[in-house]
Amino acid sequence: MKLQQLRYIVEIVNQNLNITEAAEALYTSQPGISKQVRLLESELGINIFERNGKHIKGLTPAGEKITQIARELLVKVQSIRAVAEEQTRPNRGVLRIATPNTQARYVLPAVIEKFKAKYPNVSLHLHQGSPTQIYEALMNGTVDLAITTEAQYLFEETILLPCYTWNRSVIVKPEHPLAQFANHSTDLTVEELSKYDLITYTFGFTGQSDLDKAFNQVGILPNIVFTATDADVIKTYVRLGLGVGIMASMAHTEADSDLIAIDASHLFSPSMTQIAFKRSTFLRNYMYDFIQYFSPHLTKMEVEKAEQLKDPHAILRLFENMPLEEK
């Protein structure tokens, strides 16, 4: 059994069972991957993949277990390299982060500017996506750290650290009837909001979004006409007059002077942004620093405490008495 063979198996799964794409990702040949997978199956005496002729159609039950173990081994191998690099090249390396678009656009620029000032020789790579894509990128080893604001239940097998809370604003054009609530003594209500077409984030990752909950409490079905993962896209379609936007308050900036933001924190429960990494990951010092730049209360000492805890609820309890920043 060779480490490279395990890497081939994992990459085939990462590429949705497409050997050609796995070969391209690993800069090797498709016949070479196929041969090595067959050799490993022959050595083990079992099939890792289910096949339809020459085409792979899935993992066998044993193959699923082997792939899971192979992922863990590859992470440990990477950790061994990271330990060595921490000694030989402490201020050089790579940091790969998966993040939602809103965090990448409105929170991370200041963090990255500070990080690059201290670590100019660390190559930084951002991967943007939905909560599910972010989770998959973390678990398949594409990234080192994952920033998530939804679907935290996906990350129960990781170290998941609370960073800050945020809420939403309703976004309209100045001439819209709801604009009056921006400087009105009466708060905007769900009933009033329900009269209009709504444009908001893609949701449903946890089965029910905070927007769903707010409308369900008063027995109203919201009329969602458009969803997007990017706040800038939401603002674009509000400007086109296609509906009323509901997005993170942090995404309304001075550059959006042509749009009115109405505080909606009384309508929706606050959301929490968290940062995650796999339990088997060796965090280099610059990774600890990035985490603290992103969320100042997450010092290296506090993160190391969290790494010792097995229960995700215990990790949350570790930080429950720390006031989280609101954004």
Side-chain angles (χ1 to χ4, degrees):
M1 183 186 306
K2 301 177 182 177
L3 189 64
Q4 190 71 350
Q5 292 171 327
L6 300 180
R7 185 171 286 108
Y8 288 162
I9 290 169
V10 169
E11 193 59 38
I12 290 171
V13 176
N14 289 350
Q15 299 298 333
N16 298 313
L17 307 179
N18 189 311
I19 297 181
T20 300
E21 292 184 4
E24 291 176 357
L26 294 172
Y27 303 100
T28 188
S29 68
Q30 186 244 349
I33 287 185
S34 297
K35 178 182 178 181
Q36 289 301 318
V37 171
R38 289 289 193 184
L39 286 173
L40 179 58
E41 288 178 321
S42 177
E43 178 184 346
L44 297 176
I46 60 170
N47 286 332
I48 295 172
F49 294 104
E50 293 180 354
R51 293 176 176 83
N52 183 7
K54 294 183 178 180
H55 299 287
I56 292 176
K57 65 177 185 178
L59 284 165
T60 64
E64 290 181 359
K65 294 179 181 178
I66 289 170
T67 301
Q68 180 181 354
I69 295 170
R71 288 190 190 280
E72 295 171 358
L73 287 173
L74 292 175
V75 171
K76 290 183 183 297
V77 169
Q78 181 59 38
S79 293
I80 290 172
R81 292 195 179 102
V83 170
E85 289 175 352
E86 187 63 38
Q87 300 301 313
T88 59
R89 302 191 305 167
N91 295 324
R92 291 180 177 270
V94 177
L95 178 56
R96 305 163 302 166
I97 303 163
T99 176
N101 295 337
T102 299
Q103 308 299 312
R105 171 68 177 83
Y106 297 101
V107 178
L108 285 176
V111 176
I112 290 174
E113 183 179 25
K114 184 176 181 180
F115 179 84
K116 291 299 289 183
K118 183 173 182 180
Y119 297 104
N121 295 316
V122 173
S123 179
L124 193 61
H125 302 274
L126 286 185
H127 301 253
Q128 294 169 240
S130 69
T132 303
Q133 291 170 330
I134 290 168
Y135 166 76
E136 291 174 350
L138 180 65
M139 299 311 291
N140 67 30
T142 303
V143 300
D144 308 297
L145 302 175
I147 297 168
T148 180
T149 56
E150 301 221 35
Q152 276 90 352
Y153 73 95
L154 288 174
F155 296 82
E156 289 184 351
E157 298 304 315
T158 70
I159 304 294
L160 187 61
L161 306 169
C163 298
Y164 55 82
T165 60
W166 58 274
N167 215 307
R168 297 157 179 79
S169 290
V170 171
I171 307 298
V172 295
K173 296 202 292 185
E175 63 270 22
H176 194 280
L178 291 182
Q180 62 175 311
F181 288 97
N183 298 301
H184 202 282
S185 59
T186 304
D187 286 335
L188 176 65
T189 65
V190 172
E191 289 83 358
E192 189 68 28
L193 193 57
S194 69
K195 297 176 183 178
Y196 303 96
D197 293 341
L198 302 179
I199 304 170
T200 189
Y201 293 114
T202 301
F203 58 87
F205 302 109
T206 57
Q208 187 182 51
S209 71
D210 292 324
L211 187 145
D212 284 327
K213 294 175 184 177
F215 280 90
N216 287 343
Q217 285 176 355
V218 295
I220 296 175
L221 183 66
N223 185 29
I224 309 294
V225 296
F226 189 88
T227 63
T229 59
D230 191 331
D232 289 337
V233 174
I234 293 174
K235 289 185 285 188
T236 294
Y237 285 93
V238 170
R239 289 185 172 102
L240 290 175
L242 297 184
V244 172
I246 302 176
M247 66 182 196
S249 298
M250 70 181 79
H252 184 267
T253 68
E254 293 180 358
D256 302 312
S257 58
D258 60 325
L259 296 175
I260 302 296
I262 306 163
D263 178 39
S265 59
H266 61 290
L267 298 181
F268 307 111
S269 300
S271 295
M272 182 187 294
T273 293
Q274 296 178 266
I275 193 164
F277 56 90
K278 295 176 73 172
R279 290 186 175 275
S280 51
T281 300
F282 172 79
L283 293 184
R284 296 188 58 181
N285 283 327
Y286 62 72
M287 295 180 181
Y288 283 111
D289 279 350
F290 181 91
I291 292 172
Q292 188 173 8
Y293 293 163
F294 186 71
S295 188
H297 68 274
L298 295 177
T299 63
K300 181 177 180 180
M301 183 175 67
E302 296 298 333
V303 174
E304 287 178 335
K305 287 180 184 177
E307 289 180 274
Q308 302 305 312
L309 301 174
K310 302 297 183 184
D311 181 3
H313 298 291
I315 295 175
L316 286 177
R317 288 195 295 271
L318 178 66
F319 298 99
E320 65 183 356
N321 293 323
M322 291 186 179
L324 296 184
E325 182 182 1
E326 295 183 15
K327 294 194 177 183

